[in-house]
Amino acid sequence: MKNFEPNKNINRRKFVKSSAAAAAGGMFLSHLPVSASAFVGGNETLRVALIGCGGRGTGAAAQALSVKEDVKLVAMADAFRDRLDDSYENLMKKHGESGRVDVPEEHKFVGFDGYKNAIALADVVLLATPPGFRPIHFEEAINQGKHVFMEKPVAVDAPGVRKVLDVAQKAKQNKLNVVVGLQRHYQNSYLELMNRIHAGEIGDIVGGQVYWNSSGVWVRERQPQQTEMEYQMRNWYYFTWLCGDHIMEQHIHNIDVANWAKQAYPVKAQGMGGREVRTGKDHGEIFDHHFVEFHYEDGTMINSQCRHQEGCMNKVSESLVGTKGRATTDGATMISDHSGKTLWKHRGKNDPNPYQVEHDRLFAAIVSGDELLADAENGAKSTMTALLGRMATYSGKVVTWEEALNSNMSLVPQTFSWDANPPVVPGPDGKYPIPVPGKTKVI
Amino acid sequence: MKRSKQCYAQLNLLNRALIIVLVSVVLLPSHRIKSLWSVKEKNVAFEPYTETIPGSQVSFDMVPIQGGEYMMGSPSSEDKRKDDEGPQVKVGIEPFWMASTETTWDMFEIFVFQEQEKRLATESGGLESANIPSVDAVSRPTPPYLDMSFGMGKYGYPAICMTQYSAQMFCKWLTAKTGVFYRLPTEAEWEYACRAGTETAYFFGDDPADIDEYAWYYDNTYGGYEKVGTKKPNPWGLYDMHGNVSEWTLDQYNPEFYASLGDGVKVPYNVPTKLYPRTVRGGSYDDDPETLRSASRIPSNPRWKQQDPQIPKSNWWHTDARHVGFRIIRPLNPPAEKDIEAFWPEPIEDI
């Protein structure tokens, strides 16, 4: 960090002021000094902590270490020692030579509570655990005065979403940058398409379809020595309290695009879903398909489908229908009129990697102070939208945004420990209780 | 250590193929031929044939390509030529069959999804006759996180976005199922087949104005690939050698490779030791005509996986190579069983 931006010091002063105000208001944990931030203490290297060391967390750390600013990974936390070690080894392979990985043994934190210590050592925190942990991790990071990159979805239940919305406000007040891994917002093809939609090139949006139909993801075999908690943590994708179901974990990307295009969030949803082909005891409790109608305030309905079934039509894309034309991201990102004539098409051959751009923008914003990135509110509301969809498919009922957001149904376990029971446990046949539309309560 | 030994085997495999086969036919007791990688029949007629993937209704057509010699690369006079296409060098090619079209999703998905493979087998004559390779014998792709056809079409359309390793494992799987040795072509074999005896920039001549009849490329597509075999073939009956999707070869890409070869080398093969770059050929729907020329060489690039958000990155899928597929060949004179065993690569971890 040889050449600071001219306004850097101004930004530092602003930061100190707002941090002090926040501290006076009791927002910071008392045992953590405000000088924990590099930009107050005068340390010119931005220190990064990785919370959640799976494949995606490791990828996010690699991207954070590839920015042009002066950064260093200084702490890592994961529930599992082996995941942390694999991640560390891979990051050393990729970034070891640059000297940007500097995580001594005493900065590697294993278990459910290690995140607090890792966050304390950093200026910027990467949150990439299973989404069930996101609200408490995000809250801790902002309370400790850290900038945040966090993966989507940002919660799995309504209390979690509300917590993230609250904390998002604190982050903004305290001038802490927050980027959420809805990377389409950092992808040229989508940015150009949205500019055109918002400029009216397809007219008023009157409908649309969004899809994440794929063949599913990994399954990790149960090991004999595992407690139920460990088994579920290793197979987090298949448990709603950890993953949110695939409508939240993956399909949120497409649902978020619908909101983005509409510049609104739906007021209610109705849908159906179930387990058709992925029904075994290895597959936890989540559905393998969901189909949801999202209704927006102006009457627009956008259909969403997501599926994890092999041998079926696969599609991960969005299509928005307006009064003047149609925008699609199916294959080519393009706009056409209603007779099918192409009006605009994006040729993305040399576009930058949106996963990298997320981090480039985050670190540039932190250092320059030119803008405050504040993705958490939209991240929380798009998470809420996907959750609304899940509530509709699990219950089989019409669910409104208001009742969904105000729901007090929490999926967070009573106790986080390896010998504690998670919120769902298998029956005598080894299978987990599955939501039954028409019967299951979600509010 | 393991790798260099294996590469030696690969190199030798191609150069010694004929001798090995003659020796193996004479010396090996016939019952040994039944193991996983051995070929069904040594004295097959060198004619076009249709192979049906055992345990399915899916078939593909193989076209015989006579051996011979040709000038690999392009003359310095060729329009739009790049430096890596020369110096031209005379090389020898052993006879092989080549698939008349690029590998389709119909074929590739049976390999990707073992459950689908079992279901198709049950429907068409039983699991026993489907030769489903054991998990230990052939590893298979992890399920793709995204829809790897990107909405451009599945059945009848070329499979794309697989890594070169993935394409090679498809060949290994297909070899196990059919008992016939299938593999990717070398760069030299690919260009030989593409040229089909011609010396012009394209197999149809030098004028890119004629390309519409033979190729799918940027200006005549909507921004995606088209069904295989829907344009005119080259003189040897191969479709989409120019355009549609670029095709994996076996070689490590090296711009200086031709300069390192003496005239008359038989089936030159630049054995890969590094993950990047490797060579694809033929150009795609996303390219302009110059990249579709017979001699044009395209190096693979880590950018082809840039939207894989995980580390380590997938051994199987290139999230950003929508323009890359492959087609298979079968040498007329397959190598011995042990050399086939040694031929299949181990993945190189992509951090």
Side-chain angles (χ1 to χ4, degrees), chain A residues 54-56 58-60 62-63 90 93-94 187 212-217 237 249-250 310-312 314-316 330-332 345 347 349-355, chain B residues 109 112-116 119 143-152 154-155 218 221-224 286-288 303 306-313 322 349 351:
Chain A
R56 177 59 201 127
T58 311
Q63 280 132 15
N90 287 330
K93 278 186 208 159
K94 194 166 176 72
Q187 183 170 345
W212 192 299
N213 293 352
S214 70
S215 43
V217 301
Y237 210 97
E249 210 281 332
Q250 290 177 321
E310 291 183 2
C312 299
N314 283 349
K315 192 176 213 181
V316 177
D330 197 1
K345 188 166 75 173
R347 192 176 190 184
K349 251 188 158 178
N350 296 309
D351 281 355
N353 175 3
Y355 291 97
Chain B
E109 282 204 337
V112 174
F113 301 120
Q114 189 164 30
E115 288 308 312
Q116 194 169 325
R119 182 174 56 77
Y145 221 51
L146 294 164
D147 159 38
M148 285 297 172
S149 71
F150 295 93
M152 298 190 289
K154 273 279 172 74
Y155 305 110
Y218 189 73
T221 52
Y222 65 96
D286 202 23
D287 287 312
D288 299 315
R303 278 180 58 91
Q306 71 171 6
Q307 288 185 79
D308 181 343
Q310 311 255 344
I311 284 185
K313 292 177 186 293
R322 300 182 188 191
E349 194 172 43
I351 301 293

Side-chain angles (χ1 to χ4, degrees), chain A residues 363-437:
Chain A
F363 285 87
I366 294 169
V367 169
S368 73
D370 288 345
E371 60 175 339
L372 182 72
L373 297 170
D375 291 353
E377 184 179 339
N378 175 64
K381 289 182 176 172
S382 279
T383 296
M384 188 63 228
T385 314
L387 171 56
L388 179 68
R390 190 191 80 205
M391 288 173 160
T393 59
Y394 278 14
S395 69
K397 309 240 190 290
V398 175
V399 184
T400 70
W401 177 274
E402 281 309 310
E403 63 189 357
L405 181 60
N406 292 323
S407 165
N408 284 322
M409 197 169 278
S410 168
L411 303 185
V412 177
Q414 299 291 318
T415 315
F416 286 109
S417 77
W418 295 121
D419 49 8
N421 263 345
V424 286
V425 290
D429 60 354
K431 293 191 174 183
Y432 294 86
I434 308 302
V436 180

Side-chain angles (χ1 to χ4, degrees), chain A residues 177-202:
Chain A
N177 288 279
V178 180
V179 166
V180 172
L182 291 163
Q183 80 285 347
R184 284 165 173 75
H185 290 270
Y186 295 85
Q187 183 170 345
N188 281 359
S189 57
Y190 279 92
L191 289 164
E192 277 194 43
L193 183 72
M194 286 299 165
N195 282 341
R196 288 167 186 276
I197 289 173
H198 296 156
E201 289 194 18
I202 63 168

Side-chain angles (χ1 to χ4, degrees), chain A residues 223-234:
Chain A
Q223 303 299 321
Q225 78 289 358
Q226 279 173 340
T227 64
E228 182 62 26
M229 182 66 93
E230 177 172 359
Y231 171 75
Q232 293 195 16
M233 290 280 285
R234 296 272 184 192

Side-chain angles (χ1 to χ4, degrees), chain A residues 1-12 39 44 68-69 363-371:
Chain A
M1 198 64 42
K2 299 287 177 278
N3 301 306
F4 283 118
E5 299 295 324
N7 64 350
K8 173 73 187 307
N9 291 327
I10 298 169
N11 185 48
R12 274 193 197 178
F39 289 91
E44 292 178 352
K68 67 178 180 359
E69 287 75 17
F363 285 87
I366 294 169
V367 169
S368 73
D370 288 345
E371 60 175 339

Side-chain angles (χ1 to χ4, degrees), chain B residues 275-323:
Chain B
L275 192 55
Y276 297 104
R278 307 221 178 156
T279 311
V280 301
R281 288 296 210 115
S284 76
Y285 69 82
D286 202 23
D287 287 312
D288 299 315
E290 62 191 78
T291 311
L292 275 56
R293 289 175 303 108
S294 301
S296 175
R297 308 173 70 200
I298 304 161
S300 71
N301 189 303
R303 278 180 58 91
W304 292 4
K305 268 190 215 170
Q306 71 171 6
Q307 288 185 79
D308 181 343
Q310 311 255 344
I311 284 185
K313 292 177 186 293
S314 171
N315 289 330
W316 300 98
W317 300 103
H318 275 301
T319 48
D320 302 83
R322 300 182 188 191
H323 59 298

Side-chain angles (χ1 to χ4, degrees), chain A residues 56-289:
Chain A
R56 177 59 201 127
T58 311
Q63 280 132 15
L65 298 182
S66 301
V67 300
K68 67 178 180 359
E69 287 75 17
D70 184 8
V71 299
K72 200 176 246 192
L73 183 71
V74 299
M76 300 169 77
D78 197 277
F80 297 110
R81 180 78 216 193
D82 59 318
R83 299 296 280 171
L84 194 154
D85 287 345
D86 285 352
S87 173
Y88 177 76
E89 194 184 311
N90 287 330
L91 288 168
M92 282 301 284
K93 278 186 208 159
K94 194 166 176 72
H95 285 289
E97 276 179 26
S98 71
R100 288 185 160 195
V101 180
D102 182 12
V103 189
E105 184 58 29
E106 62 272 23
H107 291 180
K108 294 175 181 170
F109 301 98
V110 177
F112 287 104
D113 295 326
Y115 69 97
K116 292 179 188 168
N117 297 320
I119 289 170
L121 293 165
D123 307 302
V124 186
V125 181
L126 315 175
L127 303 179
T129 61
F133 295 103
R134 199 86 70 244
I136 55 174
H137 289 177
F138 180 50
E139 181 177 45
E140 180 72 17
I142 296 303
N143 280 348
Q144 288 199 35
K146 315 300 183 176
H147 303 278
V148 169
F149 168 83
M150 61 177 165
E151 262 306 340
K152 36 44 66 177
V154 299
V156 298
D157 56 18
V161 170
R162 294 199 300 270
K163 179 174 282 190
V164 172
L165 284 169
D166 275 355
V167 176
Q169 293 308 312
K170 287 184 201 169
K172 261 202 277 193
Q173 286 159 14
N174 295 347
K175 303 282 189 284
L176 295 170
N177 288 279
V178 180
V179 166
V180 172
L182 291 163
Q183 80 285 347
R184 284 165 173 75
H185 290 270
Y186 295 85
Q187 183 170 345
N188 281 359
S189 57
Y190 279 92
L191 289 164
E192 277 194 43
L193 183 72
M194 286 299 165
N195 282 341
R196 288 167 186 276
I197 289 173
H198 296 156
E201 289 194 18
I202 63 168
D204 295 330
I205 295 172
V206 293
Q209 300 81 31
V210 297
Y211 308 84
W212 192 299
N213 293 352
S214 70
S215 43
V217 301
W218 44 264
V219 172
R220 298 193 181 115
E221 236 173 273
R222 190 186 287 272
Q223 303 299 321
Q225 78 289 358
Q226 279 173 340
T227 64
E228 182 62 26
M229 182 66 93
E230 177 172 359
Y231 171 75
Q232 293 195 16
M233 290 280 285
R234 296 272 184 192
N235 276 282
W236 63 271
Y237 210 97
Y238 297 96
F239 297 94
T240 310
W241 71 275
L242 283 161
C243 161
D245 204 322
H246 66 120
I247 188 174
M248 296 188 71
E249 210 281 332
Q250 290 177 321
H251 192 33
I252 182 176
H253 283 295
N254 322 100
I255 291 170
D256 170 67
V257 167
N259 292 339
W260 188 8
K262 282 296 292 177
Q263 298 177 287
Y265 301 94
V267 292
K268 64 180 178 182
Q270 184 283 127
M272 58 180 78
R275 283 159 71 96
E276 180 67 29
V277 300
R278 193 170 57 191
T279 57
K281 57 187 180 185
D282 296 340
H283 302 128
E285 57 178 337
I286 67 168
F287 281 3
D288 59 19
H289 64 285

Side-chain angles (χ1 to χ4, degrees), chain B residues 162-336:
Chain B
M162 74 294 291
T163 59
Q164 188 213 40
Y165 173 73
S166 190
Q168 287 186 275
M169 288 303 101
F170 171 85
C171 295
K172 184 178 182 184
W173 168 85
L174 190 63
T175 299
K177 285 190 74 89
T178 57
V180 171
F181 179 46
Y182 288 103
R183 64 166 168 84
L184 296 178
T186 63
E187 261 203 275
E189 288 166 336
W190 190 95
E191 185 178 328
Y192 178 74
C194 176
R195 289 186 172 284
T198 68
E199 293 174 358
T200 44
Y202 308 89
F203 62 67
F204 54 81
D206 282 317
D207 189 354
D210 299 330
I211 203 165
D212 264 344
E213 288 181 56
Y214 300 95
W216 294 112
Y217 67 109
Y218 189 73
D219 277 346
N220 69 359
T221 52
Y222 65 96
Y225 54 49
E226 293 285 350
K227 280 197 173 173
V228 301
T230 48
K231 290 284 186 181
K232 285 186 193 168
N234 80 355
W236 289 350
L238 303 169
Y239 295 87
D240 302 308
M241 293 300 285
H242 300 314
N244 209 23
V245 294
S246 290
E247 300 175 14
W248 281 115
T249 69
L250 281 176
D251 295 45
Q252 187 95 61
Y253 171 82
N254 173 3
E256 313 290 337
F257 185 50
Y258 300 178
S260 72
L261 299 170
D263 261 2
V265 172
K266 283 216 162 181
V267 199
Y269 170 31
N270 192 28
V271 182
T273 55
K274 294 179 302 186
L275 192 55
Y276 297 104
R278 307 221 178 156
T279 311
V280 301
R281 288 296 210 115
S284 76
Y285 69 82
D286 202 23
D287 287 312
D288 299 315
E290 62 191 78
T291 311
L292 275 56
R293 289 175 303 108
S294 301
S296 175
R297 308 173 70 200
I298 304 161
S300 71
N301 189 303
R303 278 180 58 91
W304 292 4
K305 268 190 215 170
Q306 71 171 6
Q307 288 185 79
D308 181 343
Q310 311 255 344
I311 284 185
K313 292 177 186 293
S314 171
N315 289 330
W316 300 98
W317 300 103
H318 275 301
T319 48
D320 302 83
R322 300 182 188 191
H323 59 298
V324 175
F326 69 102
R327 86 173 68 208
I328 54 175
I329 72 155
R330 167 189 179 181
L332 174 63
N333 302 308

